Amino acid sequence: RKAAIAKAQQKLEKEKIPVGENYEKLREQGQKPFSFEDRKPKEKEVVLSIDVNISQGKTGRIAIRKGDDPAVLASNFCRLYQLNETMRLTLQTILEQQMAMLQTEPYLEE
């Protein structure tokens, strides 16, 4: 008897159709595949690309986009290539000079 009751309950649970305030609406929409395309931040256009000689035969590239902070760029680059504070300050100065030159060029102004 108990087995028959348990079997009947399992059958009811298996055949149960969920209902709720949004269930029917969501069911009508159908399923669509998940995509990261909607969440991708739009990258700014690269304004200038600088090659930095780190050591003999080793070169790193810094892409400068409009609105980038030279201190952050230099810090990230030096952390990536394990460069010291003196190199970071030198690189930051160079990036500031290059970015200042970009801002004075008339064809880049909007």
Side-chain angles (χ1 to χ4, degrees):
R1 269 184 137 191
K2 289 182 181 180
I5 293 171
K7 188 175 182 180
Q9 285 178 342
Q10 285 178 351
K11 184 178 179 185
L12 285 174
E13 288 176 11
K14 192 175 185 180
E15 294 174 352
K16 181 181 177 185
I17 299 174
V19 292
E21 55 190 55
N22 285 330
Y23 181 76
E24 291 300 323
K25 184 178 173 183
L26 293 173
R27 191 172 180 187
E28 289 172 5
Q29 288 179 350
Q31 293 180 346
K32 52 185 170 183
F34 181 78
S35 173
F36 284 107
E37 293 293 324
D38 300 337
R39 297 182 184 201
K40 230 183 236 185
K42 298 194 179 191
E43 286 190 15
K44 298 176 187 174
E45 182 180 339
V46 175
V47 179
L48 178 68
S49 187
I50 298 176
D51 289 328
V52 180
N53 292 327
I54 299 162
S55 64
Q56 190 171 2
K58 190 172 184 182
T59 304
R61 178 170 283 173
I62 299 176
I64 299 176
R65 293 175 170 82
K66 192 169 187 172
D68 280 349
D69 181 14
V72 173
L73 291 174
S75 177
N76 290 344
F77 186 85
C78 289
R79 190 177 325 129
L80 179 67
Y81 289 101
Q82 300 171 356
L83 303 176
N84 60 24
E85 185 68 16
T86 307
M87 296 298 290
R88 186 192 67 77
L89 292 173
T90 305
L91 184 60
Q92 182 177 340
T93 305
I94 293 169
L95 290 173
E96 287 170 351
Q97 291 170 353
Q98 292 295 320
M99 291 172 89
M101 285 175 36
L102 282 175
Q103 290 176 353
T104 59
E105 294 181 18
Y107 64 88
L108 291 175
E109 294 178 2
E110 293 178 359

